[in-house]
Amino acid sequence: MTVIEPSGRTGPGWWRSAVVYQVYPRSFADGNGDGVGDLRGIRERLDHLEWLGVDVLWISPVYPSPMADNGYDVSDYLDVDPAYGTLAELDALIAELHERGMKLVMDLVANHTSDEHPWFVDSSSSPESAKRDWYWWRDEPNNWGSFFSGPAWTYSEGRAAYYLHLFTRKQPDLNWENPEVRHAVYDIMRWWLDRGIDGFRMDVVNLISKDPDLPEAPVMPGQRYGNMRASVLDGPRVHEFLAEMHREVFDRYEDRDLLLVGETGETTVEEGRKYTDPARRELDMVLHYEHVEIDHGTFKWDVRPFDLGRLRERLAAWQTGLADVGWNSLYWDNHDQPRVVSRYGDDDRWRTESAKLLATVLHLQRGTPFVYQGDEIGMTNYPFASIDEFDDVEAVNYYHEAIALGVEPEDVMRSLRAMSRDNGRTPMQWDDSPNAGFTTGTPWLAVNPNHTEINVAAQRDDPDSVLSHYRRLIQLRHEDPAVVDGDFTLLTDSHPQVFAFRRRHESGQLAVLANFSGAEADLGELAEECRGDLVIGSGHGPVMAPWESRVYRR
Ligand code: TEU
């Protein structure tokens, strides 16, 4: 085991004291008035990010794409889609970020390409294609279902065979068993690093290794297709592939402070330790899902009530599981999640309080926090009234599949309202003007009507705003070594309302107390923790107000 010490702002482990900000380019800021966010828009908003204090910007894909999945279907890895701008503008963004002391991390979608990528066009053209083994082809499909409803196989006329796609039919899965595929991906990665970017967020990287037999999968009650997870998640060669990627790519840039983040949906703590163990040289950190599936039943659309006990237990498991080896990423929201204030907080009466509380408990855990655009002002879910208001392929496909299976339309809508990814994709709310300052044109997805109240301009100069709170938390990470390196202990595993933990460090310790409820909470024995300086919060005494959060340092 290699322990990385100390966690300075540069050098090995620099990302331990860093905060990442995720931009979903389509919805962040529109610089040319066509209703779609773009690189110019991002560049015009860098003051906001610098003022907030974030260290790293991760942008969701801006590569040329038919946009079947909003850019997670890439048709050219070495360019920028005209909807977002040009390569020259991306170079300018890199330079401008570096001038401000920030880094740029790009999304790398390498589990699959677009079906319009030249590799797939070639592979599907004939069984004799030189790229015939670059994707997963079979004469007969197995019973797997796609993550986005429907079968995971589509027939290709040119090839007279079926190809595998774990997502939409426009996202064929690359065959990582083929070394030519792996080396083509490594070439792309080096090309971008040579251009000056500072790392990658690797999309669904724990799906790249499949059980090569592609065995039939169990069909769950009420489902039409087999659940392929056991054959594709954290597959047999995934660690080998990531170690190879590290050797072939990152080892060549050892003098640079890069960030290697893997999105590893539905992975376990045990696998997370392997992915992030510095001695194994795979990834710096993983984006796991357990804490954002607390309210899922048998599957994502089977929405269950929030359960504090489950959340606390899963977060603590990752904290303690990666305490002696590896490193956590910390996030609530991203472009695939509904807004956390609506989900685990209260987006009505206690909106500001619950947004601050959620920020506090996330940022003060051990790990690298990720702020998703709009988190910093407490953006909420959108009041969807009809299926026509949804854009996301996952939501639209699920709607049609569920209706065909006989689920009542109102039940489907209830699921979509709570869980749809479109909740996290509505335009960023900069001000109270008609399109929230996002665009001067017609926004591609509706702006949340609550932008008149929830927006950056309204919060920027208010010391009690959610925005000021985020800025304070980011500063605290930069200043307080206990936030970065302190250990983590849960202070209660049974309080029905309170999530409380301690971060102990040689420089002192922090106690974080959070009342996850709209009722007062009696701290009981936890009141002993209310000692030292109150660095976050304003409450006192053994009873916490609804959605109150406090942090003491001693
Ligand atoms: O997400 C991975 C992924 O598995 C999610 O789509 C997840 O299945 C879903 O949100 C929960 O049901 C990544 C990207 O972040 C996402 O935007 C892409 O759609 C997906 O991969 C395919 O590239």
Side-chain angles (χ1 to χ4, degrees), residues 367-413:
T368 299
F370 284 58
V371 179
Y372 177 58
Q373 63 185 45
D375 278 350
E376 75 271 37
I377 51 171
M379 278 178 63
T380 66
N381 282 355
Y382 183 88
F384 291 101
S386 120
I387 181 64
D388 304 329
E389 291 174 300
F390 293 93
D391 168 84
D392 181 24
V393 61
E394 182 192 42
V396 174
N397 286 358
Y398 171 68
Y399 181 86
H400 293 297
E401 184 168 273
I403 296 293
L405 285 169
V407 185
E408 288 299 322
E410 197 30 56
D411 292 337
V412 185
M413 281 299 293

Short mmCIF file of all heavy atoms in Angstrom, two decimals, residues 367-413:
data_model
loop_
_atom_site.label_atom_id
_atom_site.label_comp_id
_atom_site.label_asym_id
_atom_site.label_seq_id
_atom_site.Cartn_x
_atom_site.Cartn_y
_atom_site.Cartn_z
N GLY A 367 -12.71 13.20 1.10
CA GLY A 367 -12.84 12.92 -0.33
C GLY A 367 -12.80 14.22 -1.10
O GLY A 367 -12.68 15.30 -0.51
N THR A 368 -12.92 14.12 -2.40
CA THR A 368 -12.90 15.31 -3.25
C THR A 368 -14.33 15.66 -3.66
O THR A 368 -14.99 14.87 -4.34
CB THR A 368 -12.04 15.05 -4.51
OG1 THR A 368 -10.71 14.76 -4.09
CG2 THR A 368 -12.04 16.25 -5.43
N PRO A 369 -14.83 16.83 -3.22
CA PRO A 369 -16.21 17.19 -3.57
C PRO A 369 -16.36 17.60 -5.03
O PRO A 369 -15.47 18.24 -5.59
CB PRO A 369 -16.51 18.39 -2.66
CG PRO A 369 -15.38 18.50 -1.72
CD PRO A 369 -14.21 17.81 -2.34
N PHE A 370 -17.49 17.23 -5.60
CA PHE A 370 -17.87 17.63 -6.95
C PHE A 370 -19.13 18.48 -6.82
O PHE A 370 -20.14 18.01 -6.32
CB PHE A 370 -18.20 16.41 -7.82
CG PHE A 370 -17.00 15.64 -8.29
CD1 PHE A 370 -16.09 15.10 -7.38
CD2 PHE A 370 -16.76 15.45 -9.64
CE1 PHE A 370 -14.98 14.39 -7.80
CE2 PHE A 370 -15.65 14.73 -10.08
CZ PHE A 370 -14.75 14.21 -9.16
N VAL A 371 -19.04 19.73 -7.29
CA VAL A 371 -20.22 20.60 -7.32
C VAL A 371 -20.78 20.53 -8.73
O VAL A 371 -20.05 20.78 -9.70
CB VAL A 371 -19.82 22.06 -7.00
CG1 VAL A 371 -21.06 22.97 -7.04
CG2 VAL A 371 -19.12 22.16 -5.65
N TYR A 372 -22.04 20.18 -8.87
CA TYR A 372 -22.67 20.18 -10.19
C TYR A 372 -23.33 21.53 -10.40
O TYR A 372 -23.97 22.07 -9.48
CB TYR A 372 -23.70 19.05 -10.29
CG TYR A 372 -24.44 19.03 -11.61
CD1 TYR A 372 -23.72 18.92 -12.81
CD2 TYR A 372 -25.81 19.14 -11.67
CE1 TYR A 372 -24.39 18.92 -14.03
CE2 TYR A 372 -26.49 19.14 -12.88
CZ TYR A 372 -25.77 19.03 -14.07
OH TYR A 372 -26.42 19.04 -15.27
N GLN A 373 -23.21 22.08 -11.59
CA GLN A 373 -23.76 23.42 -11.87
C GLN A 373 -25.17 23.57 -11.30
O GLN A 373 -26.04 22.73 -11.56
CB GLN A 373 -23.76 23.69 -13.38
CG GLN A 373 -24.64 22.77 -14.18
CD GLN A 373 -24.51 23.00 -15.68
OE1 GLN A 373 -23.42 23.14 -16.22
NE2 GLN A 373 -25.65 23.04 -16.37
N GLY A 374 -25.38 24.62 -10.55
CA GLY A 374 -26.70 24.86 -9.96
C GLY A 374 -26.82 24.37 -8.53
O GLY A 374 -27.63 24.88 -7.76
N ASP A 375 -25.99 23.39 -8.14
CA ASP A 375 -25.96 22.96 -6.73
C ASP A 375 -25.70 24.16 -5.83
O ASP A 375 -26.28 24.28 -4.76
CB ASP A 375 -24.79 21.99 -6.47
CG ASP A 375 -25.07 20.55 -6.87
OD1 ASP A 375 -26.23 20.25 -7.17
OD2 ASP A 375 -24.11 19.76 -6.88
N GLU A 376 -24.78 25.01 -6.30
CA GLU A 376 -24.29 26.09 -5.45
C GLU A 376 -25.34 27.16 -5.17
O GLU A 376 -25.12 28.03 -4.33
CB GLU A 376 -23.01 26.69 -6.04
CG GLU A 376 -23.18 27.60 -7.26
CD GLU A 376 -23.16 26.85 -8.60
OE1 GLU A 376 -23.68 25.72 -8.67
OE2 GLU A 376 -22.64 27.42 -9.59
N ILE A 377 -26.48 27.10 -5.89
CA ILE A 377 -27.57 28.02 -5.57
C ILE A 377 -28.80 27.25 -5.10
O ILE A 377 -29.87 27.83 -4.90
CB ILE A 377 -27.93 28.94 -6.77
CG1 ILE A 377 -28.16 28.13 -8.05
CG2 ILE A 377 -26.84 29.99 -6.98
CD1 ILE A 377 -28.73 28.95 -9.20
N GLY A 378 -28.65 25.95 -4.95
CA GLY A 378 -29.78 25.14 -4.46
C GLY A 378 -30.87 24.95 -5.50
O GLY A 378 -32.07 24.98 -5.19
N MET A 379 -30.49 24.71 -6.76
CA MET A 379 -31.51 24.45 -7.80
C MET A 379 -32.31 23.19 -7.46
O MET A 379 -31.82 22.28 -6.81
CB MET A 379 -30.87 24.36 -9.19
CG MET A 379 -30.63 25.73 -9.81
SD MET A 379 -29.80 25.71 -11.43
CE MET A 379 -31.00 24.84 -12.46
N THR A 380 -33.55 23.17 -7.93
CA THR A 380 -34.48 22.10 -7.57
C THR A 380 -34.98 21.36 -8.81
O THR A 380 -34.72 21.79 -9.94
CB THR A 380 -35.73 22.68 -6.87
OG1 THR A 380 -36.44 23.47 -7.84
CG2 THR A 380 -35.36 23.56 -5.69
N ASN A 381 -35.75 20.31 -8.61
CA ASN A 381 -36.40 19.61 -9.72
C ASN A 381 -37.37 20.54 -10.45
O ASN A 381 -37.85 21.54 -9.90
CB ASN A 381 -37.17 18.39 -9.20
CG ASN A 381 -36.24 17.23 -8.90
OD1 ASN A 381 -35.03 17.29 -9.16
ND2 ASN A 381 -36.80 16.16 -8.35
N TYR A 382 -37.68 20.14 -11.67
CA TYR A 382 -38.58 20.92 -12.52
C TYR A 382 -40.01 20.39 -12.37
O TYR A 382 -40.21 19.18 -12.27
CB TYR A 382 -38.13 20.77 -13.99
CG TYR A 382 -38.92 21.58 -14.97
CD1 TYR A 382 -38.56 22.90 -15.26
CD2 TYR A 382 -40.04 21.04 -15.61
CE1 TYR A 382 -39.30 23.65 -16.15
CE2 TYR A 382 -40.78 21.79 -16.51
CZ TYR A 382 -40.40 23.09 -16.78
OH TYR A 382 -41.13 23.84 -17.67
N PRO A 383 -41.00 21.28 -12.37
CA PRO A 383 -42.40 20.80 -12.23
C PRO A 383 -42.96 20.23 -13.54
O PRO A 383 -43.83 20.83 -14.16
CB PRO A 383 -43.15 22.06 -11.80
CG PRO A 383 -42.37 23.19 -12.38
CD PRO A 383 -40.93 22.76 -12.40
N PHE A 384 -42.48 19.07 -13.97
CA PHE A 384 -42.95 18.46 -15.22
C PHE A 384 -44.43 18.11 -15.12
O PHE A 384 -44.88 17.46 -14.18
CB PHE A 384 -42.18 17.17 -15.50
CG PHE A 384 -40.73 17.41 -15.85
CD1 PHE A 384 -39.74 17.21 -14.90
CD2 PHE A 384 -40.37 17.84 -17.12
CE1 PHE A 384 -38.40 17.43 -15.22
CE2 PHE A 384 -39.04 18.07 -17.44
CZ PHE A 384 -38.05 17.86 -16.49
N ALA A 385 -45.20 18.52 -16.14
CA ALA A 385 -46.63 18.24 -16.12
C ALA A 385 -47.01 17.21 -17.17
O ALA A 385 -48.01 16.50 -17.02
CB ALA A 385 -47.41 19.53 -16.35
N SER A 386 -46.22 17.10 -18.25
CA SER A 386 -46.61 16.16 -19.31
C SER A 386 -45.37 15.49 -19.90
O SER A 386 -44.27 16.04 -19.83
CB SER A 386 -47.41 16.91 -20.39
OG SER A 386 -46.77 16.82 -21.64
N ILE A 387 -45.57 14.33 -20.51
CA ILE A 387 -44.46 13.58 -21.10
C ILE A 387 -43.75 14.39 -22.18
O ILE A 387 -42.55 14.26 -22.39
CB ILE A 387 -44.92 12.19 -21.62
CG1 ILE A 387 -43.73 11.39 -22.20
CG2 ILE A 387 -46.05 12.28 -22.62
CD1 ILE A 387 -42.64 11.01 -21.24
N ASP A 388 -44.49 15.29 -22.83
CA ASP A 388 -43.89 16.09 -23.91
C ASP A 388 -42.80 17.04 -23.42
O ASP A 388 -42.03 17.56 -24.21
CB ASP A 388 -44.97 16.94 -24.61
CG ASP A 388 -46.09 16.05 -25.13
OD1 ASP A 388 -45.80 14.89 -25.48
OD2 ASP A 388 -47.25 16.52 -25.13
N GLU A 389 -42.78 17.27 -22.11
CA GLU A 389 -41.77 18.20 -21.59
C GLU A 389 -40.41 17.54 -21.37
O GLU A 389 -39.44 18.21 -21.08
CB GLU A 389 -42.25 18.80 -20.27
CG GLU A 389 -43.42 19.75 -20.46
CD GLU A 389 -43.97 20.22 -19.12
OE1 GLU A 389 -44.41 19.38 -18.32
OE2 GLU A 389 -43.93 21.43 -18.86
N PHE A 390 -40.38 16.19 -21.47
CA PHE A 390 -39.10 15.51 -21.25
C PHE A 390 -38.31 15.43 -22.54
O PHE A 390 -38.88 15.26 -23.62
CB PHE A 390 -39.32 14.09 -20.69
CG PHE A 390 -39.89 14.10 -19.31
CD1 PHE A 390 -41.25 14.03 -19.09
CD2 PHE A 390 -39.04 14.20 -18.21
CE1 PHE A 390 -41.77 14.05 -17.81
CE2 PHE A 390 -39.55 14.22 -16.92
CZ PHE A 390 -40.92 14.14 -16.71
N ASP A 391 -37.01 15.52 -22.41
CA ASP A 391 -36.12 15.43 -23.57
C ASP A 391 -35.31 14.15 -23.54
O ASP A 391 -35.02 13.55 -24.57
CB ASP A 391 -35.15 16.64 -23.53
CG ASP A 391 -34.02 16.47 -24.53
OD1 ASP A 391 -34.22 16.80 -25.71
OD2 ASP A 391 -32.94 15.96 -24.14
N ASP A 392 -34.92 13.70 -22.35
CA ASP A 392 -33.94 12.64 -22.21
C ASP A 392 -34.42 11.30 -22.76
O ASP A 392 -35.53 10.84 -22.45
CB ASP A 392 -33.57 12.50 -20.73
CG ASP A 392 -32.53 11.42 -20.51
OD1 ASP A 392 -31.79 11.11 -21.45
OD2 ASP A 392 -32.47 10.89 -19.38
N VAL A 393 -33.55 10.68 -23.55
CA VAL A 393 -33.87 9.40 -24.18
C VAL A 393 -34.21 8.34 -23.14
O VAL A 393 -35.09 7.49 -23.36
CB VAL A 393 -32.69 8.97 -25.10
CG1 VAL A 393 -31.40 8.78 -24.32
CG2 VAL A 393 -33.00 7.72 -25.89
N GLU A 394 -33.54 8.38 -21.99
CA GLU A 394 -33.83 7.39 -20.94
C GLU A 394 -35.27 7.53 -20.47
O GLU A 394 -36.00 6.54 -20.31
CB GLU A 394 -32.87 7.57 -19.75
CG GLU A 394 -33.10 6.53 -18.68
CD GLU A 394 -32.37 6.82 -17.36
OE1 GLU A 394 -32.36 7.99 -16.92
OE2 GLU A 394 -31.85 5.88 -16.77
N ALA A 395 -35.71 8.79 -20.24
CA ALA A 395 -37.06 9.04 -19.75
C ALA A 395 -38.11 8.68 -20.80
O ALA A 395 -39.11 8.01 -20.49
CB ALA A 395 -37.18 10.52 -19.35
N VAL A 396 -37.86 9.12 -22.01
CA VAL A 396 -38.84 8.89 -23.07
C VAL A 396 -38.99 7.39 -23.36
O VAL A 396 -40.10 6.86 -23.47
CB VAL A 396 -38.44 9.69 -24.34
CG1 VAL A 396 -39.36 9.35 -25.51
CG2 VAL A 396 -38.45 11.20 -24.05
N ASN A 397 -37.85 6.68 -23.43
CA ASN A 397 -37.92 5.23 -23.66
C ASN A 397 -38.65 4.53 -22.53
O ASN A 397 -39.47 3.63 -22.75
CB ASN A 397 -36.51 4.62 -23.74
CG ASN A 397 -35.82 4.94 -25.05
OD1 ASN A 397 -36.39 5.59 -25.92
ND2 ASN A 397 -34.58 4.49 -25.18
N TYR A 398 -38.33 4.92 -21.29
CA TYR A 398 -38.98 4.26 -20.15
C TYR A 398 -40.49 4.50 -20.21
O TYR A 398 -41.28 3.58 -19.99
CB TYR A 398 -38.41 4.74 -18.81
CG TYR A 398 -39.25 4.23 -17.66
CD1 TYR A 398 -39.28 2.86 -17.38
CD2 TYR A 398 -40.07 5.07 -16.92
CE1 TYR A 398 -40.10 2.34 -16.38
CE2 TYR A 398 -40.90 4.57 -15.91
CZ TYR A 398 -40.91 3.21 -15.65
OH TYR A 398 -41.72 2.71 -14.68
N TYR A 399 -40.90 5.71 -20.53
CA TYR A 399 -42.33 6.02 -20.59
C TYR A 399 -43.03 5.04 -21.54
O TYR A 399 -44.02 4.40 -21.16
CB TYR A 399 -42.53 7.46 -21.06
CG TYR A 399 -43.99 7.86 -21.12
CD1 TYR A 399 -44.64 8.34 -19.99
CD2 TYR A 399 -44.72 7.73 -22.31
CE1 TYR A 399 -45.98 8.68 -20.03
CE2 TYR A 399 -46.06 8.08 -22.36
CZ TYR A 399 -46.69 8.55 -21.22
OH TYR A 399 -48.02 8.88 -21.26
N HIS A 400 -42.49 4.92 -22.74
CA HIS A 400 -43.16 4.06 -23.73
C HIS A 400 -43.13 2.60 -23.33
O HIS A 400 -44.12 1.89 -23.49
CB HIS A 400 -42.57 4.31 -25.12
CG HIS A 400 -42.86 5.69 -25.61
ND1 HIS A 400 -44.14 6.13 -25.84
CD2 HIS A 400 -42.06 6.74 -25.87
CE1 HIS A 400 -44.12 7.40 -26.23
NE2 HIS A 400 -42.85 7.80 -26.26
N GLU A 401 -42.00 2.15 -22.78
CA GLU A 401 -41.93 0.74 -22.37
C GLU A 401 -42.92 0.46 -21.23
O GLU A 401 -43.63 -0.54 -21.25
CB GLU A 401 -40.51 0.37 -21.95
CG GLU A 401 -40.40 -1.11 -21.61
CD GLU A 401 -38.96 -1.60 -21.47
OE1 GLU A 401 -38.36 -1.96 -22.49
OE2 GLU A 401 -38.43 -1.58 -20.34
N ALA A 402 -42.97 1.36 -20.24
CA ALA A 402 -43.84 1.13 -19.09
C ALA A 402 -45.31 1.14 -19.51
O ALA A 402 -46.10 0.31 -19.07
CB ALA A 402 -43.57 2.18 -18.02
N ILE A 403 -45.66 2.09 -20.38
CA ILE A 403 -47.05 2.15 -20.85
C ILE A 403 -47.40 0.84 -21.58
O ILE A 403 -48.45 0.24 -21.36
CB ILE A 403 -47.28 3.37 -21.77
CG1 ILE A 403 -47.06 4.68 -21.00
CG2 ILE A 403 -48.66 3.33 -22.44
CD1 ILE A 403 -48.06 4.99 -19.91
N ALA A 404 -46.46 0.36 -22.42
CA ALA A 404 -46.70 -0.89 -23.15
C ALA A 404 -46.85 -2.08 -22.19
O ALA A 404 -47.56 -3.03 -22.48
CB ALA A 404 -45.57 -1.14 -24.14
N LEU A 405 -46.17 -2.01 -21.05
CA LEU A 405 -46.27 -3.10 -20.07
C LEU A 405 -47.51 -2.95 -19.18
O LEU A 405 -47.73 -3.73 -18.26
CB LEU A 405 -45.02 -3.15 -19.19
CG LEU A 405 -43.75 -3.73 -19.83
CD1 LEU A 405 -42.53 -3.48 -18.95
CD2 LEU A 405 -43.89 -5.23 -20.11
N GLY A 406 -48.27 -1.88 -19.40
CA GLY A 406 -49.53 -1.72 -18.68
C GLY A 406 -49.48 -0.88 -17.41
O GLY A 406 -50.43 -0.85 -16.64
N VAL A 407 -48.38 -0.18 -17.18
CA VAL A 407 -48.31 0.69 -16.00
C VAL A 407 -49.19 1.93 -16.26
O VAL A 407 -49.25 2.43 -17.39
CB VAL A 407 -46.85 1.14 -15.72
CG1 VAL A 407 -46.75 1.93 -14.42
CG2 VAL A 407 -45.91 -0.07 -15.67
N GLU A 408 -49.90 2.38 -15.22
CA GLU A 408 -50.78 3.54 -15.37
C GLU A 408 -49.96 4.79 -15.71
O GLU A 408 -48.94 5.05 -15.06
CB GLU A 408 -51.52 3.82 -14.05
CG GLU A 408 -52.60 2.80 -13.71
CD GLU A 408 -53.70 2.74 -14.77
OE1 GLU A 408 -54.06 3.81 -15.29
OE2 GLU A 408 -54.16 1.62 -15.07
N PRO A 409 -50.43 5.58 -16.71
CA PRO A 409 -49.67 6.78 -17.10
C PRO A 409 -49.33 7.69 -15.90
O PRO A 409 -48.23 8.23 -15.82
CB PRO A 409 -50.59 7.50 -18.08
CG PRO A 409 -51.48 6.42 -18.62
CD PRO A 409 -51.59 5.36 -17.56
N GLU A 410 -50.28 7.84 -14.97
CA GLU A 410 -50.00 8.74 -13.83
C GLU A 410 -48.86 8.19 -12.96
O GLU A 410 -48.06 8.95 -12.42
CB GLU A 410 -51.28 9.00 -13.02
CG GLU A 410 -51.22 10.21 -12.09
CD GLU A 410 -50.29 11.37 -12.55
OE1 GLU A 410 -50.45 11.92 -13.67
OE2 GLU A 410 -49.38 11.71 -11.77
N ASP A 411 -48.77 6.86 -12.86
CA ASP A 411 -47.67 6.27 -12.08
C ASP A 411 -46.33 6.46 -12.80
O ASP A 411 -45.31 6.72 -12.16
CB ASP A 411 -47.91 4.76 -11.85
CG ASP A 411 -49.09 4.53 -10.91
OD1 ASP A 411 -49.40 5.47 -10.14
OD2 ASP A 411 -49.69 3.44 -10.96
N VAL A 412 -46.37 6.33 -14.11
CA VAL A 412 -45.13 6.55 -14.87
C VAL A 412 -44.67 8.00 -14.70
O VAL A 412 -43.50 8.27 -14.45
CB VAL A 412 -45.32 6.25 -16.38
CG1 VAL A 412 -43.99 6.36 -17.11
CG2 VAL A 412 -45.91 4.86 -16.58
N MET A 413 -45.62 8.92 -14.81
CA MET A 413 -45.27 10.34 -14.66
C MET A 413 -44.71 10.63 -13.27
O MET A 413 -43.79 11.43 -13.13
CB MET A 413 -46.50 11.22 -14.94
CG MET A 413 -46.81 11.42 -16.40
SD MET A 413 -45.48 12.23 -17.33
CE MET A 413 -45.50 13.86 -16.58
#
